[in-house]
Amino acid sequence: MKPIKQIFTYTSLTAILTLVSFCSNSSEKVSEISNQVPKRFQFKLKSIPKELKGERISFTLKFFLCPDIKAKDCYTPVSIKTHKGGKPIQSSTDQMTFLEVVPNQWTHLSIHLDGIEKIHGKYSPGHNPHWIQNTDSFLKNPNITHEFTFLSQENLIPNRKQELLAYQFAPILVFHKDKKYLPTNIEKYANYFQSKEYTLPNKDIRRKSLGQTTWNYVEFPDLRETEKQTHLYYHVRYANATVSGTTKEALPGFRDDENYWYEVGNGDMVVSYWIWYDWNEGPTKFGNIHQGDLESYALLVSKEGKPKRILLTGHDHILLDTDFRNINSLKNHPILYVAKGNMGSDGGNPTSAYGGYTVKLHAGNALFNYISDPWDVFPSFDPEKSILIIPKDLSEKDLTNVKIGSGIKDKSILTNKDSEYLSEPTRYVDASKMVKQKIEKLVAWEEPGWVGQTADKDPDGHHKVDPKVSSFFKFRGRLGKHPRSDLRIRELHQYGESPENAPFKTNIEQHYTFESPKSERSYTDREGNYGPKFLGNDSTPQK
């Protein structure tokens, strides 16, 4: 009896385990099948531009499995589905509904609106692609809906207002007396404009995200000794601006700098500037040599035109983002300092709001750090050692008593933390003899997609630009004969990348900051930083 009981017991146990296993597997299979139930996708299009009449719209769904966005195969879609519209567009609205099976495993879904190439850079449908992440809310939702509403990418701030703001905040630029390459202008290269292609580095994220293997550049002749007139390039926009591909759901690398849109918001505006140099030589004589250099800064101003914050960029970083009262200015013109390099180098032209200090930089590797020990060496505001380039509306007489420092007299109101920024006393300098030249011209940077066209929503009714700069405004790529970085150990030279063209440069460096500035920030390198050297108050800006 005992053996029979034992066999029965084992058999029963096996049956029970099999049943449990079957139920468990059935549960898993049900879960898998439930993931594969088709979902209903419904997309609406509103305010479709007239240029798209007769075009056939389609939607491409790409599912990615990217639990780690740095993974090598992360950007290869696990599934691609395309749904084409039936009829060509005939009105300002349209919609499409379809069923689609969702893969078992995925983390990110991009929904791309296709067939709108005609208006790319002129009208934005919003984020395109629209991104969705695989969350419980997606799984529970039987219907996936999204509305693409087209907006003109024209700047709705009148040209005259843009111009007045641009002149109001044009800089007073401070240079070492021996600075070789002072800012000039790009118009002198107009007759030499010819777009070329170069191969993107293997590590460039666009190779993974967009399948892009090449990028554009323009090679200029060496005209550094001629046409040295200084021009300043500017763009004024509403601060509430958005660039496609910047949502938290999007995978990195899908940012589309041609697809952006403005909203009035609270009326705050961003005044962006670019300063053009023919050559970058530094920060030491061993490295980062390249043709062309665009250095930028921007101000956040209220709808009444009062300056609130200033942001400066350089070395592909945001060097400073701070309250406008924490820098020196004269009649709203910020006083900005341009560094030279060390070891006889003319420098990489980074711009700071403070003078008389240095920042040690990373040269890219330990060997070059040891050999060249690169620095940014910022000039002091000193008539004996420095020169100025000033806006045309300022005269030498305006510069006879320039305030350098916070100007705060009552230090008792400051906290212990604040006091560390007031180590140097405020001084007043006669800078009337420091003027080397003036900014001869301010040039408005037009929206690239609208250059030379009749306006749709723009209050000025046109998008006319000087023919000498129209090619630059529309060009996407790098400006200069060194389109990519090239390290040559035997020569002890690093040929750096020529700069990205301005509208696309500002999207990269400035949009994030001024959408909703919340905190102070500055960049720190090997030794030193570009942060505030003093904290000011309402008395600091010099009237």
Side-chain angles (χ1 to χ4, degrees):
M1 290 294 294
K2 284 183 181 178
I4 295 173
K5 279 186 178 180
Q6 213 170 20
I7 292 169
F8 177 79
T9 304
Y10 288 150
T11 304
S12 301
L13 184 61
T14 303
I16 291 168
L17 289 173
T18 303
L19 181 62
V20 170
S21 175
F22 174 79
C23 290
S24 175
N25 288 338
S26 296
S27 175
E28 286 178 8
K29 286 180 180 178
V30 167
S31 176
E32 279 187 15
I33 292 170
S34 67
N35 279 347
Q36 291 184 318
V37 172
K39 284 191 177 290
R40 184 171 180 263
F41 288 85
Q42 184 174 27
F43 302 121
K44 293 182 179 180
L45 278 65
K46 289 188 174 181
S47 303
I48 302 173
K50 294 176 182 178
E51 289 95 323
L52 292 180
K53 186 176 181 180
E55 297 295 314
R56 289 183 182 274
I57 297 296
S58 61
F59 293 91
T60 299
L61 278 57
K62 290 185 179 181
F63 295 87
F64 298 86
L65 183 58
C66 270
D68 177 9
I69 59 174
K70 294 182 180 178
K72 195 172 183 181
D73 58 349
C74 178
Y75 287 79
T76 302
V78 295
S79 175
I80 301 176
K81 308 284 186 178
T82 300
H83 292 264
K84 296 182 178 180
K87 296 180 180 179
I89 289 177
Q90 297 297 329
S91 69
S92 62
T93 61
D94 197 15
Q95 68 177 26
M96 182 186 291
T97 302
F98 55 85
L99 294 175
E100 186 56 73
V101 175
V102 176
N104 288 331
Q105 289 188 308
W106 61 280
T107 57
H108 298 74
L109 164 61
S110 74
I111 303 167
H112 197 277
L113 175 59
D114 301 315
I116 61 170
E117 290 75 18
K118 276 187 177 181
I119 51 90
H120 190 213
K122 290 183 64 180
Y123 293 91
S124 170
H127 288 285
N128 190 34
H130 168 63
W131 287 87
I132 295 174
Q133 286 189 358
N134 191 1
T135 60
D136 288 340
S137 61
F138 179 87
L139 294 173
K140 293 174 182 176
N141 189 356
N143 300 318
I144 308 303
T145 63
H146 184 67
E147 189 175 279
F148 292 93
T149 301
F150 289 86
L151 295 172
S152 171
Q153 294 176 234
E154 293 164 290
N155 196 331
L156 299 181
I157 302 172
N159 290 351
R160 182 58 180 159
K161 185 174 182 178
Q162 292 188 51
E163 184 180 39
L164 289 173
L165 284 169
Y167 274 95
Q168 184 178 350
F169 299 110
I172 297 169
L173 297 172
V174 188
F175 302 89
H176 292 275
K177 270 191 173 178
D178 58 354
K179 186 85 168 69
K180 287 189 290 185
Y181 303 123
L182 297 175
T184 62
N185 64 86
I186 59 176
E187 286 91 322
K188 64 175 176 280
Y189 295 113
N191 294 332
Y192 304 95
F193 188 95
Q194 185 177 358
S195 179
K196 299 181 179 181
E197 282 191 348
Y198 71 98
T199 303
L200 284 172
N202 290 331
K203 64 181 181 180
D204 195 297
I205 196 169
R206 287 171 291 186
R207 283 181 170 268
K208 292 197 297 181
S209 62
L210 305 177
Q212 195 169 308
T213 58
T214 61
W215 191 230
N216 310 308
Y217 77 103
V218 175
E219 182 176 314
F220 301 129
D222 291 339
L223 298 177
R224 298 192 299 275
E225 300 306 316
T226 62
E227 300 179 72
K228 293 184 176 181
Q229 192 179 76
T230 298
H231 295 176
L232 186 66
Y233 305 90
Y234 71 88
H235 183 265
V236 184
R237 60 172 173 82
Y238 285 116
N240 194 0
T242 309
V243 183
S244 179
T246 57
T247 59
K248 67 181 188 309
E249 295 85 3
L251 284 173
F254 287 88
R255 182 187 181 97
D256 182 356
D257 292 332
E258 274 191 300
N259 183 18
Y260 54 88
W261 58 98
Y262 305 130
E263 296 172 68
V264 177
N266 66 357
D268 280 358
M269 294 168 285
V270 172
V271 187
S272 299
Y273 296 91
W274 298 273
I275 305 163
W276 169 263
Y277 298 84
D278 293 332
W279 201 251
N280 183 109
E281 182 192 276
T284 73
K285 62 183 180 182
F286 293 115
N288 201 25
I289 299 167
H290 61 80
Q291 188 181 58
D293 203 16
L294 271 170
E295 299 297 340
S296 62
Y297 77 96
L299 286 106
L300 179 70
V301 303
S302 69
K303 62 182 178 181
E304 296 83 16
K306 182 180 179 181
K308 297 170 73 172
R309 299 184 70 81
I310 186 168
L311 174 141
L312 296 106
T313 64
H315 303 314
D316 293 324
H317 301 289
I318 291 172
L319 301 184
L320 177 71
D321 179 4
T322 193
D323 193 301
F324 189 77
R325 296 172 299 179
N326 292 340
I327 72 164
N328 285 127
S329 60
L330 175 61
K331 295 184 175 181
N332 280 321
H333 299 290
I335 299 173
L336 304 179
Y337 301 79
V338 179
K340 69 175 182 179
N342 63 327
M343 302 180 73
S345 164
D346 193 55
N349 309 315
T351 310
S352 172
Y354 310 97
Y357 75 103
T358 62
V359 176
K360 286 192 175 185
L361 307 171
H362 283 275
N365 59 64
L367 174 63
F368 269 47
N369 269 347
Y370 176 76
I371 294 172
S372 60
D373 190 26
W375 298 5
D376 278 338
V377 182
F378 290 97
S380 56
F381 201 90
D382 185 340
E384 300 300 320
K385 299 177 181 177
S386 304
I387 56 174
L388 305 178
I389 294 180
I390 65 172
K392 285 191 81 171
D393 66 332
L394 287 182
S395 67
E396 285 78 358
K397 187 178 179 180
D398 294 318
L399 299 166
T400 55
N401 197 36
V402 180
K403 181 198 296 182
I404 302 297
S406 72
I408 298 176
K409 295 180 181 179
D410 185 5
K411 297 184 181 180
S412 63
I413 63 173
L414 300 173
T415 65
N416 290 332
K417 185 179 178 182
D418 293 339
S419 61
E420 66 180 280
Y421 292 99
L422 295 172
S423 55
E424 292 187 14
T426 299
R427 57 197 176 92
Y428 291 83
V429 180
D430 181 356
S432 58
K433 300 290 192 276
M434 294 174 65
V435 178
K436 170 76 173 180
Q437 61 193 60
K438 293 192 174 186
I439 298 170
E440 294 296 328
K441 188 177 181 182
L442 265 67
V443 180
W445 208 286
E446 178 59 88
E447 306 300 323
W450 283 97
V451 169
Q453 298 192 37
T454 303
D456 180 5
K457 307 293 184 186
D458 188 282
D460 295 289
H462 65 85
H463 298 285
K464 296 176 182 177
V465 299
D466 185 338
K468 286 187 176 180
V469 291
S470 63
S471 295
F472 295 98
F473 289 175
K474 293 184 287 187
F475 175 66
R476 298 194 72 197
R478 295 192 171 276
L479 300 175
K481 67 172 65 172
H482 299 293
R484 58 169 294 183
S485 182
D486 183 12
L487 177 62
R488 301 181 188 180
I489 297 290
R490 291 182 180 178
E491 298 179 21
L492 291 179
H493 270 93
Q494 172 82 40
Y495 292 96
E497 293 176 325
S498 51
E500 194 77 10
N501 200 15
F504 314 107
K505 183 182 177 73
T506 192
N507 280 335
I508 293 167
E509 295 178 341
Q510 293 173 2
H511 269 86
Y512 281 129
T513 300
F514 288 134
E515 283 176 14
S516 53
K518 294 177 181 177
S519 61
E520 298 291 306
R521 57 178 169 171
S522 65
Y523 184 72
T524 301
D525 217 296
R526 216 161 35 118
E527 183 181 313
N529 67 77
Y530 303 87
K533 309 306 176 196
F534 61 79
L535 297 181
N537 63 14
D538 288 334
S539 69
T540 302
Q542 191 170 350
K543 307 302 181 185

